Amino acid sequence: KAGVTQTPRYLIKTRGQQVTLSCSPISGHRSVSWYQQTPGQGLQFLFEYFSETQRNKGNFPGRFSGRQFSNSRSEMNVSTLELGDSALYLCASRAVRNGGYTFGSGTRLTVV
Amino acid sequence: GQQLNQSPQSMFIQEGEDVSMNCTSSSIFNTWLWYKQDPGEGPVLLIALYKAGELTSNGRLTAQFGITRKDSFLNISASIPSDVGIYFCAGQRETSGSRLTFGEGTQLTVNP
């Protein structure tokens, strides 16, 4: 069974640009969550999608957005990038009624 | 953002020694999860706990869900070099939906 796949693995962007990250959950998993990991703030919840609907949202500015497609694949978008957005962005999926979240390897975003 | 209080922050031990780390919070959680993260990878789920007082093992790892539902601990017995990594606790509150709140992590170093 394939794990959670995130693309790309690494990304370098310039301040002010926007970026889109992709996540393919484990087959059959309908819930997808996104987290930001930085040395200073640790792992912070961004949002969760289930059946194409945002079900939960963390305390991040509106520049951070996401969506989920009918095949459960998800994307997150960050607009008007700031230096502080440099982080490892992690996607996690889980099956319904299973509390264990499986994480992907993440996308390392560097904003210069 | 709010995080769980995880201790210790780092540990340096000899191969074969036992390890103990814990997480505490002022809030009640209905699920506790323990993850291990290797450099450049996403967190990998080690143990999931769903009931207060629950004690669960996974090989040399044992974790417990505190009776008060405000804490959890993880023990690793007879450590080996591949146990090196960062260990995170994560809690899920009934009032926060699927959102996970993470501890700051425990960096474990095992000397052969």
Side-chain angles (χ1 to χ4, degrees), chain B residues 11 73 90:
Chain B
M11 301 183 75
F73 72 75

Side-chain angles (χ1 to χ4, degrees), chain A residues 17-34:
Chain A
Q17 287 187 311
Q18 74 164 11
V19 67
T20 299
L21 312 180
S22 179
C23 171
S24 293
I26 291 173
S27 178
H29 286 194
R30 293 163 63 191
S31 170
V32 174
S33 296
W34 289 88

Side-chain angles (χ1 to χ4, degrees), chain A residues 9 41 48 56-57 101 105, chain B residues 3 35 40-41 96 98-99:
Chain A
R9 285 296 306 269
Q41 296 296 314
E48 186 219 2
N56 208 343
K57 190 177 190 311
Y101 293 78
S105 297
Chain B
Q3 288 188 316
Y35 286 89
E41 297 297 327
S96 297
S98 55
R99 176 191 311 213

Side-chain angles (χ1 to χ4, degrees), chain A residues 9 33 35 37 41-45 48 55-59 88 90 94 98-101 103-105, chain B residues 1-3 31 33 35 37 40-45 48 50 88 92 96-103:
Chain A
R9 285 296 306 269
S33 296
Y35 289 81
Q37 186 175 27
Q41 296 296 314
L43 281 144
Q44 301 287 321
F45 174 80
E48 186 219 2
R55 206 156 65 161
N56 208 343
K57 190 177 190 311
N59 298 324
L88 180 66
L90 293 160
R94 67 166 183 164
N98 183 341
Y101 293 78
F103 281 83
S105 297
Chain B
Q2 180 182 1
Q3 288 188 316
T31 299
L33 307 169
Y35 286 89
Q37 186 174 27
E41 297 297 327
V44 173
L45 181 65
Y50 301 105
F88 290 97
Q92 183 180 359
S96 297
S98 55
R99 176 191 311 213
L100 294 180
T101 300
F102 280 85

